[in-house]
Amino acid sequence: MRSAHTVEQVRAAEAALLATLPEGALILRAATGLAYAIEELLGGVYGRRVVLLVGPGDNGGDALYAGAHLARRGAYVEAWILLGRAHERGLAALRSAGGRVRQPRPLSAASVDVVVDGVLGIGGRPGLPPEVAEAVIPIHRSIPFVAVDIPSGMDCDTGERHGMALQADLTVTFGTHKIAHLADPSAADCGVVELVDLGLELPPAPVESLQAADVARLVPRPQAHAQKYTRGVVGVRAGSDRYPGAALLAISGAATGLAGMVRYVGSAGDPVKQQHPEVVGAGRVQAWVVGSGTDTDAEQHLRDALADEVPVVIDADALAHLDKADVRATLAGKGHVLTPHAGELAAMLQADRKEIEARPLHFARHAAATYGVVVLLKGRRTVVATPEGRARINTTGTPYLATAGAGDVLAGLIGALLAAGLDPFDAAGAGAWLHGAAATLAGDGGPIVAGDVARHLPSVIRGLTRG
């Protein structure tokens, strides 16, 4: 599990550790990890030219001590002091190692190999001070940038943008991941994130990201004496005369072998029978998937699914009917999962889509609390949130996953995991991870369509269970 903590949690853990260490030991530990990461990025540092952007806080000190390490290994290192003062011992260490302090000046890729952003730390206010922007923006993106802990200007605890922030090719963070490393839009500006372990004792993280080993533990495996009913039965209410393909795609996500049986109820019965002869008709289920392509039948399908009092994955057209008072009253505490994209969630919350996209973690949590159920907000980094505020952010996938019908496959997959016995938070999180991993495998760096994702799900699941 990749855990992302708040600034307050990190500061408390650092203070506890500092009380047990000699003075300066923690910053040297962090700076050494930073220096090694820069050396690895450059493929060696002898003769390389490094510019440090240094602010007054401890991350400026990290940059200075790392610069001293690099200078001792033969790099040409210069520091720009951008906010009037710098970490005194770090500055002395840099000068002692042969590094220089210079005024900001024009740079080009021909004159420097890497710029290290140590201006604002995790406790800094979002946005760039004008004097930093004036000095840095003319060189930004023309030269490789390495961020110390977090790119300057980001909102560390939310992943939101407030004004101007820098972008990094590599972010070297310490002790634990921070929320902005996982949550968009800031996560997209962190580049590759490398974690340096400091030995912090941390509380449970409010934001997590499942890794392959976590999903492997969650994927249901049949017992020796299992039969199709004990493995879980998932029902799919999807498709319509206008959108029969939605039924096929939702079923393709559900019929991956994770559940013992798939039932279908809807108006696309003939094409379903032709492509999925193993799918049967109405009957008892342990979970429903409802809404994908249901068009004008969406409300009735939703009501019928909720009447069974089993967990329901509510997707697409069905989401538009959640605010009817009698429907809303049946939601909380029943194990349901909502799977909107930003546009659908904007309609549900009467918000602006651009605002949803600018604050996905916030709005996923807000929707989960509002409806009393788990919410999966689809996006480049899909967010899964509980009514209590726990969140998981998915990091698998490919930009080509933004394709018609992919959400139908995901809804079916989550429904199968629910029917097999996973709780809603785990089913949604594992489903998003598997969905993204299958898309990456299917595309192999190139374009995909939704059916490709479904076809590659069994291969991804086999790889996990064999491992």
Side-chain angles (χ1 to χ4, degrees):
M1 188 80 70
R2 184 173 295 167
S3 299
H5 292 82
T6 66
V7 173
E8 183 179 1
Q9 290 175 316
V10 173
R11 292 296 193 221
E14 287 177 343
L17 183 58
L18 281 168
T20 69
L21 295 175
E23 185 177 1
L26 191 61
I27 195 169
L28 288 175
R29 190 180 297 177
T32 301
L34 173 62
Y36 281 129
I38 294 169
E39 186 170 0
E40 183 177 2
L41 174 70
L42 295 175
V45 296
Y46 186 83
R48 300 301 185 105
R49 303 177 71 86
V50 180
V51 171
L52 311 176
L53 308 178
V54 180
D58 283 345
N59 73 322
D62 295 332
L64 290 166
Y65 278 115
H69 178 101
L70 298 173
R72 287 193 295 269
R73 295 178 66 83
Y76 175 86
V77 182
E78 65 180 65
W80 297 1
I81 312 303
L82 292 179
L83 292 173
R85 57 189 177 88
H87 191 283
E88 290 185 5
R89 292 187 179 182
L91 200 56
L94 177 69
R95 285 177 165 141
S96 177
R100 299 182 181 184
V101 178
R102 298 190 60 174
Q103 292 296 316
R105 59 190 177 88
L107 295 178
S108 69
S111 64
V112 65
D113 293 292
V114 67
V115 174
V116 180
D117 168 19
V119 183
L120 300 175
I122 61 174
R125 291 182 179 180
L128 292 179
E131 58 267 44
V132 174
E134 182 179 347
V136 176
I137 294 305
I139 63 171
H140 191 224
R141 307 314 300 161
S142 65
I143 301 167
F145 260 62
V146 175
V148 180
D149 224 357
I150 190 167
S152 291
M154 287 186 178
D155 189 326
C156 193
D157 279 347
T158 68
E160 299 168 12
R161 287 196 188 103
H162 302 280
M164 190 178 296
L166 298 182
Q167 295 173 289
D169 301 284
L170 170 67
T171 296
V172 182
T173 194
F174 312 113
T176 181
H177 288 85
K178 317 309 185 288
I179 293 170
H181 297 142
L182 298 182
D184 272 343
S186 289
D189 292 337
C190 289
V192 176
V193 179
E194 184 170 327
L195 176 65
V196 176
D197 184 15
L198 298 181
L200 300 181
E201 293 290 336
L202 290 154
V207 177
E208 303 166 335
S209 175
L210 293 175
Q211 305 301 293
D214 305 309
V215 180
R217 287 191 291 269
L218 292 172
V219 168
R221 294 168 171 80
Q223 300 298 313
H225 300 291
Q227 40 97 347
K228 59 189 176 185
Y229 296 108
T230 61
R231 293 187 57 214
V233 180
V234 56
V236 177
R237 293 176 173 271
S240 59
D241 293 337
R242 186 177 181 186
Y243 303 113
L248 298 174
L249 290 168
I251 288 171
S252 70
T256 55
L258 293 172
M261 179 186 289
V262 180
R263 297 185 181 276
Y264 175 69
V265 176
S267 57
D270 288 341
V272 167
K273 289 176 183 178
Q274 291 172 7
Q275 293 198 28
H276 296 279
E278 75 281 6
V279 173
V280 299
R284 292 186 62 185
V285 300
Q286 278 71 58
W288 279 108
V289 178
V290 60
S292 305
T294 45
D295 200 24
T296 56
D297 297 329
E299 182 177 354
Q300 190 59 53
H301 276 304
L302 176 61
R303 291 180 179 277
D304 289 344
L306 292 172
D308 276 354
E309 297 188 343
V310 298
V312 181
V313 181
I314 303 172
D315 186 41
D317 296 331
L319 294 167
H321 302 283
L322 292 178
D323 281 330
K324 293 180 171 63
D326 59 332
V327 172
R328 183 77 167 268
T330 68
L331 293 181
K334 300 295 178 59
H336 306 318
V337 179
L338 313 184
T339 58
H341 56 58
E344 291 163 338
L345 189 60
M348 291 162 60
L349 299 178
Q350 297 183 334
D352 183 84
R353 177 173 185 152
K354 290 183 179 179
E355 191 176 2
I356 302 284
E357 292 171 339
R359 307 178 69 194
L361 176 60
H362 167 80
F363 279 104
R365 284 170 159 167
H366 175 53
T370 299
Y371 289 94
V373 298
V374 168
V375 171
L376 179 149
L377 175 57
K378 291 176 278 195
R380 187 192 81 97
R381 289 232 164 145
T382 290
V383 181
V384 180
T386 71
E388 298 75 30
R390 288 185 67 195
R392 284 179 178 157
I393 296 177
N394 185 57
T395 58
T396 63
T398 163
Y400 289 113
L401 191 51
T403 186
D408 303 341
V409 176
L410 176 59
L413 174 60
I414 295 170
L417 291 166
L418 281 173
L422 269 64
D423 70 51
F425 191 49
D426 285 340
W433 192 98
L434 292 167
H435 189 250
T440 300
L441 180 63
D444 192 25
I448 56 173
V449 295
D452 297 333
V453 179
R455 283 189 290 274
H456 283 78
L457 280 168
S459 296
V460 171
I461 296 165
R462 277 196 299 274
L464 289 175
T465 54
R466 285 174 181 169

